[in-house]
Amino acid sequence: MKLLTKLPLLVFLAVFSFSCSTDNIDENAEAMIQALVVPETKSIEIEILALINNHRLSIGLNPMENMDLIKSQAYSHTEHMVIENEVSHDNFFERSNFLKANAGAKVVSENVAFGYTKAASVVDAWLKSASHRENIEGDFSNFDVSAEQNAEGNWFYTNIFIKK
């Protein structure tokens, strides 16, 4: 009988002992950022970034700097496209909001592509498209790119631009 009278108290203590934490939200956000995947940069990605910056320099614009937080978001989206086997801008606003909250971005934009096998061919295709060229030539300070292949060897690309 004593156990039955103490059981509600034990349940009460257990619920409040293991319920939601009120730890510092900044510490949780910092841990989340550290857990983001930033894969090793591939040579095709280095070439894409260089071609974009060379184009910008050729028309009198400043080069952009790459950033790991942007790379993590580009990689995450490219992996999503590989899994779905479809080029898309799915969940762009989540990436944008993340970069605004964590990278100091005021403006975020992205280019995506599929199927190109060389850095020059994907950059040329983006430059021939008015909306993609607008991103490449836009008023941005930082960028990064992710290029991933699916099981069949087809390439998917996500190139994200931010302005701080």
Side-chain angles (χ1 to χ4, degrees):
M1 196 70 180
K2 283 186 172 182
L3 182 59
L4 288 176
T5 60
K6 294 183 180 180
L7 188 60
L9 180 60
L10 288 173
V11 170
F12 178 78
L13 289 173
V15 168
F16 283 102
S17 296
F18 300 107
S19 66
C20 295
S21 170
T22 58
D23 290 342
N24 185 334
I25 292 173
D26 291 336
E27 290 174 9
N28 292 339
E30 187 175 316
M32 182 188 74
I33 291 168
Q34 291 174 354
L36 293 173
V37 176
V38 182
E40 189 171 326
T41 304
K42 297 173 187 66
S43 60
I44 193 168
E45 295 167 337
I46 293 168
E47 290 176 55
I48 290 168
L49 297 176
L51 287 167
I52 289 171
N53 271 337
N54 288 342
H55 173 76
R56 288 175 62 86
L57 288 168
S58 76
I59 59 172
L61 297 172
N62 291 331
M64 294 178 283
E65 294 189 26
N66 59 323
M67 179 184 279
D68 281 350
L69 274 179
I70 299 171
K71 173 78 169 187
S72 72
Q73 296 302 292
Y75 174 73
S76 173
H77 182 61
T78 304
E79 281 293 295
H80 168 77
M81 292 191 301
V82 166
I83 291 166
E84 296 295 319
N85 201 32
E86 182 177 71
V87 67
S88 73
H89 291 284
D90 290 352
N91 307 310
F92 170 73
F93 291 106
E94 289 177 19
R95 291 186 294 287
S96 177
N97 289 337
F98 177 86
L99 291 168
K100 287 175 180 176
N102 297 291
K106 291 179 178 39
V107 179
V108 180
S109 194
E110 75 179 10
N111 290 343
V112 295
F114 165 78
Y116 298 95
T117 58
K118 297 190 184 321
S121 61
V122 71
V123 173
D124 287 343
W126 282 333
L127 289 172
K128 288 177 183 172
S129 162
S131 60
H132 293 98
R133 185 178 60 251
E134 188 176 308
N135 286 337
I136 290 172
E137 296 176 356
D139 184 19
F140 296 106
S141 56
N142 300 84
F143 71 148
D144 222 313
V145 67
S146 173
E148 299 296 328
Q149 288 180 290
N150 66 8
E152 293 80 34
N154 297 312
W155 285 95
F156 288 81
Y157 303 88
T158 304
N159 186 196
I160 298 178
F161 307 84
I162 72 168
K163 178 181 180 176
K164 285 187 169 189

